[in-house]
Amino acid sequence: ILNVEQSPQSLHVQEGDSTNFTCSFPSSNFYALHWYRWETAKSPEALFVMTLNGDEKKKGRISATLNTKEGYSYLYIKGSQPEDSATYLCALASNTGNQFYFGTGTSLTVIP
Amino acid sequence: NAGVMQNPRHLVRRRGQEARLRCSPMKGHSHVYWYRQLPEEGLKFMVYLQKENIIDESGMPKERFSAEFPKEGPSILRIQQVVRGDSAAYFCASSGPGETQYFGPGTRLLVL
């Protein structure tokens, strides 16, 4: 079992603020790092897959970076909106990429 | 292209009964994963299956839980003699080999 940690556990920001949170993972056996967005009463929705050290992905106001050597990924949200409120999960895919280890998530609440 | 389907969405069982949870993967996906989310906890991997094969069941409780993914039909997660501690949300995900996992809406099991 690989330990994937996310911080902070929860975050409250004002609408318009930019924010970021962290996913830490053991750097050995790395295959890919996945970010998911999980809204209450829905299923996790894939945001990004990153595989290479230094990868940076962007989707609208959300972006993510990856450092496989030191074992972390950052997720950034620029100009947070209430609809960004959700739990953001990261998952480490190891070995062949089929085994996923999820962090416990960062719960983001954007206050209008 | 329908997404991952799970049924039932909600299931209520009395202690000692059996629970059967079904998951139909996305079209073209041959890999199925089951996760459990206990109250106040994150997603925990249970089992990874391909058609007619269990690839990794390291997250499955040793007793009462079983999973299958037959050649035809959905994947089934079966919980025998349910106890109150089995109450949780059970999520299924599917993927192609080494690809992003797409999640179903989950089955919320309540054991009375």
Side-chain angles (χ1 to χ4, degrees):
Chain A
I1 295 177
L2 298 180
N3 195 26
V4 178
E5 293 183 350
Q6 290 188 247
S7 62
Q9 250 188 344
S10 66
L11 196 53
H12 290 70
V13 301
Q14 292 289 331
E15 182 176 352
D17 285 352
S18 294
T19 187
N20 66 85
F21 22 92
T22 307
C23 172
S24 304
F25 52 87
S27 52
S28 59
N29 295 320
F30 177 86
Y31 182 87
L33 195 286
H34 296 248
W35 280 100
Y36 287 83
R37 171 195 156 84
W38 193 5
E39 288 183 73
T40 304
K42 295 186 179 179
S43 52
E45 173 198 345
L47 284 176
F48 304 116
V49 182
M50 293 185 287
T51 55
L52 298 175
N53 186 41
D55 251 356
E56 186 168 336
K57 296 280 176 87
K58 191 172 181 193
K59 194 177 195 176
R61 294 178 291 97
I62 304 178
S63 60
T65 59
L66 177 66
N67 183 322
T68 59
K69 291 183 179 175
E70 295 183 37
Y72 64 83
S73 174
Y74 293 139
L75 189 81
Y76 300 91
I77 303 179
K78 187 177 175 183
S80 304
Q81 299 296 309
E83 57 265 29
D84 295 329
S85 297
T87 295
Y88 291 83
L89 293 171
C90 73
L92 175 68
S94 66
N95 301 319
T96 59
N98 291 312
Q99 173 64 291
F100 275 37
Y101 299 92
F102 279 86
T104 51
T106 292
S107 172
L108 174 67
T109 303
V110 181
I111 303 162
Chain B
N1 185 13
V4 178
M5 294 193 289
Q6 288 186 250
N7 66 80
R9 295 289 301 275
H10 298 273
L11 183 61
V12 180
R13 284 287 177 267
R14 296 193 181 281
R15 281 177 294 170
Q17 291 184 318
E18 179 179 285
R20 276 182 180 245
L21 288 61
R22 285 176 288 277
C23 169
S24 297
M26 280 178 75
K27 190 176 179 182
H29 284 182
S30 56
H31 298 227
V32 166
Y33 311 79
W34 285 94
Y35 294 87
R36 176 165 66 172
Q37 184 197 20
L38 292 167
E40 308 301 321
E41 294 188 18
L43 282 173
K44 299 290 185 193
F45 168 80
M46 297 181 77
V47 62
Y48 159 43
L49 310 105
Q50 294 178 23
K51 283 285 186 183
E52 299 185 279
N53 283 306
I54 296 174
I55 307 301
D56 183 345
E57 56 181 347
S58 57
M60 287 277 269
K62 297 288 183 237
E63 296 174 349
R64 303 187 296 107
F65 284 71
S66 62
E68 61 177 15
F69 189 15
K71 192 175 178 182
E72 302 290 337
S75 175
I76 307 282
L77 179 69
R78 183 179 174 212
I79 312 172
Q80 295 177 289
Q81 299 173 333
V82 295
V83 301
R84 287 214 173 114
D86 296 333
S87 295
Y90 293 83
F91 287 89
C92 161
S94 74
S95 76
E99 296 176 355
T100 295
Q101 295 181 16
Y102 292 87
F103 282 81
T107 293
R108 277 138 185 96
L109 172 66
L110 176 63
V111 180
L112 299 177

